[in-house]
Amino acid sequence: MQRLELAPGLIWWPGHLDRPAQERLLAAVERALEEAPLFSPRMPRTGQPFSVRMSNFGPLGWVADEAGYRYQPFHPDTRRSWPDFPADVLEAWHALTGWTAPPEAGLINWYGPEARMGLHQDRDEQDFTAPVLSLSLGDTAVFRFGGDTRRAPTRSIRLASGDALLIGGDSRLAFHGIDRILPGTSTLMGQPGRFNLTLRRVTPP
Ligand code: SIN
Ligand code: FE2
């Protein structure tokens, strides 16, 4: 399998999940969404909804609304606990991060054809020692990444269905975002759109 170090600590495995593994993971995501439906996160300051819709797996889920960006153990609308991590997700985490502790949060992002995500840092965790692992399913996305400041130069890559990306080490706080997705580039779902899972540790080791 190809392993590309895009920057120190930013590692890309194109096609890490083969088609059967992508289908299994998609089925697990769809099952989780029956229990914990996609919600629309909102910008804390303006209350404006994100174009990306979200849900979570695992003991903690990332949410955003007028009260801020945070992790919490329950769904903001149903108030129920988040669904457990699928075994395949835990396996990918252990294999690619080398981390013995399991992830605590598994954010599920859903991008419809028009959705995008502005440049940001993942910094709502209490500790940045552990990496963030991202898994992509469905349509290809234009993923942009830069340095630790918003002004640092950026580059973009195309993340396709089955790709894994580790955001860790010296790149743990690198700015990143999704410029757009390329609808119709994957046959996985039979409809345009993309799921991205990001797995994280939230609390200190
Ligand atoms: C994120 O930064 O939370 C998502 C990145 C992606 O969708 O690939
Ligand atoms: Fe992020």
Side-chain angles (χ1 to χ4, degrees):
M1 194 180 33
Q2 222 186 343
R3 177 188 187 277
L4 299 167
E5 188 150 15
L6 302 169
L10 186 64
I11 300 163
W12 181 24
W13 291 270
H16 174 68
L17 301 173
D18 63 13
R19 179 72 179 219
Q22 293 171 39
E23 286 170 359
R24 276 200 308 277
L25 184 56
L26 176 62
V29 168
E30 287 170 342
R31 266 195 309 277
L33 295 181
E34 285 171 21
E35 222 179 298
L38 290 170
F39 63 90
S40 291
R42 300 187 300 278
M43 303 283 191
R45 259 189 284 216
T46 59
Q48 212 198 319
F50 287 45
S51 59
V52 177
R53 298 175 69 216
M54 300 183 179
S55 188
N56 290 272
F57 290 119
L60 290 173
W62 189 84
V63 300
D65 58 23
E66 289 77 355
Y69 299 126
R70 63 192 181 279
Y71 286 96
Q72 66 182 35
F74 56 89
H75 190 288
D77 301 332
T78 68
R79 318 299 282 183
R80 290 175 59 193
S81 313
W82 303 107
D84 291 338
F85 280 117
D88 289 359
V89 164
L90 296 176
E91 198 179 295
W93 169 267
H94 293 299
L96 298 181
T97 67
W99 208 257
T100 45
E104 293 172 294
L107 177 62
I108 303 171
N109 286 317
W110 166 254
Y111 296 79
E114 304 296 329
R116 53 196 69 223
M117 189 178 287
L119 275 187
H120 66 276
Q121 292 170 295
D122 284 11
R123 56 178 314 150
D124 298 320
E125 301 71 36
Q126 295 162 21
D127 187 271
F128 304 130
T129 323
V132 174
L133 178 64
S134 133
L135 299 171
S136 295
L137 291 177
D139 284 334
T140 296
V142 180
F143 175 87
R144 182 165 296 283
F145 63 95
D148 285 359
T149 64
R150 206 172 264 289
R151 283 181 317 200
T154 62
R155 285 170 56 191
S156 69
I157 57 168
R158 290 181 175 207
L159 287 181
S161 197
D163 287 8
L165 181 74
L166 194 70
I167 306 174
D170 286 347
S171 292
R172 177 61 181 75
L173 292 175
F175 276 86
H176 61 276
I178 296 292
D179 289 354
R180 64 200 158 94
I181 71 160
L182 306 174
T185 43
S186 165
T187 56
L188 185 68
M189 305 199 235
Q191 62 160 322
R194 169 178 185 256
F195 281 115
N196 174 262
L197 309 183
T198 43
L199 313 174
R200 304 183 175 95
R201 293 287 306 171
V202 176
T203 63

